[in-house]
CSV table of all heavy atoms in Angstrom, one decimal:
chain,number,residue,atom,x,y,z
P,71,GLU,N,15.3,-31.6,-12.7
P,71,GLU,CA,16.3,-31.6,-11.7
P,71,GLU,C,15.9,-30.7,-10.5
P,71,GLU,O,16.6,-30.5,-9.6
P,71,GLU,CB,17.6,-31.2,-12.2
P,71,GLU,CG,18.2,-32.2,-13.2
P,71,GLU,CD,19.5,-31.7,-13.8
P,71,GLU,OE1,19.9,-30.6,-13.4
P,71,GLU,OE2,20.0,-32.3,-14.7
P,220,LEU,N,-27.0,-16.5,-18.0
P,220,LEU,CA,-27.8,-17.5,-17.4
P,220,LEU,C,-29.2,-17.0,-17.0
P,220,LEU,O,-29.4,-15.9,-16.5
P,220,LEU,CB,-27.1,-18.0,-16.1
P,220,LEU,CG,-27.8,-19.2,-15.3
P,220,LEU,CD1,-27.8,-20.4,-16.2
P,220,LEU,CD2,-27.1,-19.4,-14.0
P,431,HIS,N,-45.9,-31.0,25.9
P,431,HIS,CA,-46.9,-31.7,26.8
P,431,HIS,C,-48.3,-31.8,26.2
P,431,HIS,O,-49.1,-32.4,26.9
P,431,HIS,CB,-46.9,-31.0,28.2
P,431,HIS,CG,-45.6,-31.0,28.9
P,431,HIS,ND1,-45.1,-32.1,29.5
P,431,HIS,CD2,-44.6,-30.1,29.0
P,431,HIS,CE1,-43.9,-31.9,30.1
P,431,HIS,NE2,-43.6,-30.6,29.8
P,637,PHE,N,-8.5,8.3,27.2
P,637,PHE,CA,-7.9,7.6,28.4
P,637,PHE,C,-7.3,8.7,29.3
P,637,PHE,O,-6.5,9.5,28.9
P,637,PHE,CB,-6.7,6.7,27.9
P,637,PHE,CG,-6.1,5.9,29.0
P,637,PHE,CD1,-6.7,4.8,29.4
P,637,PHE,CD2,-4.9,6.3,29.6
P,637,PHE,CE1,-6.1,4.0,30.4
P,637,PHE,CE2,-4.3,5.6,30.6
P,637,PHE,CZ,-4.9,4.4,31.0
Side-chain angles (χ1 to χ4, degrees):
E71 295 175 3
L220 182 65
H431 298 281
F637 185 82

